[in-house]
């Protein structure tokens, strides 16, 4: 199908901001940006990138493997784990280009963003040797096994348990809202390994659980928009080897908090509706409507500030510095922005959203239907505000 001029424009590179570093010298990334854009353009031509019908959680193993072969995964990881030892800023550039293009990142995103780093920092040598190279090669998909039917915001109340048996941990319990578990090879599961005590954060652990075990069942949870990305995962006596424990038994809460800082500050937390923002800027730019210019200008200004914040956090995390509070603020600001973009688009664009179309009307529909979940996944707005208040000593 031929693209309209507006859609063709959307395919052009569009990262409007200079690489402001707040004084920190950053490497010249123009060659890297050009290389990733060329790769994405090839993928678009091949039909793997279909803006308006996909999000960054869309699963496509082939895309992830090709991206890895072109050197766009595990950029910052040590060479011995299949990485390239490049800077956090270079990885950031690759991520934002992929998100801006609307590429299907769901096969590798969680594994590369948080599971791989978590295993490199806290995994046993056996686990590192078995999994990390394959994550770097885009061959493995991971899910996040935190939420349960009665434990979403209050994660420390998880009831999934793992009991010590010979050579491993025998699991019982249930996780919900597990993104892409039906495609995943492994789930990093927060579970109780010791009875609950007065300290509700004690006695929790993280296990790397293989999902191909017949004693693990993955069932679909179909969303109101009719899509199947979320799942329920049931553990019914599967035994996970000792070597799959992250950190020491009982370290689970500390590790989860650390992992969430990676999850909450990355550019996917404010770029879910970037494609629609691009459509908006182009349409409004051509319109001469001052009110619309001001509305879109405000969105772009916010995007610029949040991007700077997110970059700063990425560099802190890379340097091993704590960033819990600031990552929480970034997520709240970021998801607020990505939710507001479809609201402004509804007001400003004279366009009827049409579900399932690979064009601007499809992108509008997709954004409207998906926006409500942005401020739930990764922690709700109320919970994030509570964390910030605690970090500031207000609670
Ligand atoms: C699209 C999507 C993908 C997801 N993917 C995953 C995944 O891959 N893995 C995973 O583990 N989880 C995942 N989740 C789950 C997500 O992390 C939880 O939905 C979220 O943490 C909220 O938990 P809950 O749904 O149990 O809501 P609840 O905790 O029951 O909260 C319900 C409401 O009450 C409010 N509330 C709760 N406690 C308080 C309080 N103390 N003070 C004030 N308000 C409060 C909340 O803010 C919310 O508005 C996903 C969710 C979505 C929507």
């Amino acid at each position: 199908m031929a693209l309209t001029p507006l859609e063709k424009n959307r395919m052009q590179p569009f990262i409007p901001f200079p690489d402001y570093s707040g004084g920190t010298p950053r490497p010249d990334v123009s060659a890297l940006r050009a290389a990733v854009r060329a790769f994405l353009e090839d993928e678009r031509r091949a039909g793997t990138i279909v803006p308006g019908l996909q999000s960054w959680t869309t699963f496509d193993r082939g895309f992830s493997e090709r991206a890895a072969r072109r050197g766009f995964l595990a950029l910052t990881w040590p060479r011995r784990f299949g990485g390239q030892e490049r800077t956090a800023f270079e990885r950031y550039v690759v991520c934002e280009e992929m998100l801006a293009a609307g590429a299907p990142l769901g096969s590798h995103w969680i594994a590369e963003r948080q599971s791989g780093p978590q295993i490199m920092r806290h995994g046993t040598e056996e686990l590192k040797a078995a999994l990390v190279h394959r994550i770097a090669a885009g061959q493995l998909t991971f899910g996040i096994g935190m939420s349960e039917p009665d434990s979403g915001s209050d994660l420390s109340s998880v009831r999934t348990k793992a009991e010590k048996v010979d050579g491993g941990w025998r699991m019982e319990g249930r996780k919900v809202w597990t993104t892409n578990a039906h495609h995943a090879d492994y789930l990093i599961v927060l579970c109780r390994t010791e009875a609950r005590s007065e300290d509700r954060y004690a006695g929790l652990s993280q296990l790397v659980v293989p999902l191909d075990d017949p004693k693990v069942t993955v069932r679909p949870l179909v969303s109101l928009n009719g899509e199947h990305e979320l799942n329920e995962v049931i553990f019914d006596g599967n035994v996970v080897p000792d070597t799959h424990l992250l950190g020491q038994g009982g370290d689970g809460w500390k590790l989860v908090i650390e992992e969430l800082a990676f999850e909450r500050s990355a550019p996917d937390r404010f770029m879910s509706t970037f494609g629609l923002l691009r459509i908006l800027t182009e349409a409004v730019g051509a319109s001469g409507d001052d009110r619309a210019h001001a509305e879109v200008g405000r969105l772009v200004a916010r995007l610029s500030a949040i991007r700077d914040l997110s970059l700063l956090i990425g560099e802190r995390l890379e340097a091993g510095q704590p960033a819990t509070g600031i990552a929480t603020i970034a997520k709240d600001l970021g998801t607020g922005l990505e939710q507001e973009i479809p609201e402004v688009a509804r007001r400003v664009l004279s366009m009827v959203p049409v579900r399932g179309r690979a064009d601007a009307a499809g992108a509008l529909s997709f954004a409207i239907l998906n926006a409500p979940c942005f401020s739930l996944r990764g922690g709700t707005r109320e919970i994030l505000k509570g964390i910030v208040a605690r970090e500031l000593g207000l609670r």
Side-chain angles (χ1 to χ4, degrees), residues 122-258:
H122 303 292
T124 58
E125 290 309 314
E126 290 90 332
L127 203 58
K128 289 182 204 168
L131 302 185
V132 178
H133 265 93
R134 295 176 63 204
I135 297 176
Q139 293 166 352
L140 290 181
T141 302
F142 274 66
I144 301 169
M146 296 185 190
S147 307
E148 296 187 5
D150 297 313
S151 307
S153 301
D154 179 17
L155 261 187
S156 66
S157 69
V158 291
R159 285 185 291 194
T160 294
K161 61 176 187 193
E163 185 193 353
K164 189 75 196 80
V165 291
D166 243 9
W169 298 87
R170 187 176 183 283
M171 298 186 68
E172 298 285 344
R174 188 151 70 111
K175 294 287 169 182
V176 283
W177 316 128
T178 324
T179 303
N180 281 330
H182 55 312
H183 296 300
D185 304 283
Y186 295 91
L187 198 60
I188 298 194
V189 174
L190 178 70
C191 55
R192 190 149 277 293
T193 44
E194 289 159 39
R196 198 169 164 155
S197 62
E198 272 197 6
D199 177 359
R200 59 210 304 251
Y201 304 112
L204 295 166
S205 300
Q206 277 196 326
L207 287 170
V208 180
V209 180
L211 292 184
D212 62 358
D213 190 313
K215 291 182 176 164
V216 178
T217 307
V218 178
R219 290 194 189 137
L221 293 175
V222 177
S223 309
L224 279 176
N225 64 9
E227 311 225 332
H228 171 208
E229 231 172 51
L230 302 176
N231 300 275
E232 174 182 34
V233 183
I234 298 153
F235 310 102
D236 187 14
N238 57 303
V239 175
V240 178
D242 279 331
T243 51
H244 285 224
L245 176 71
L246 295 181
Q248 304 296 313
D251 277 354
W253 189 252
K254 188 181 93 187
L255 299 193
V256 151
I257 296 300
E258 193 180 300

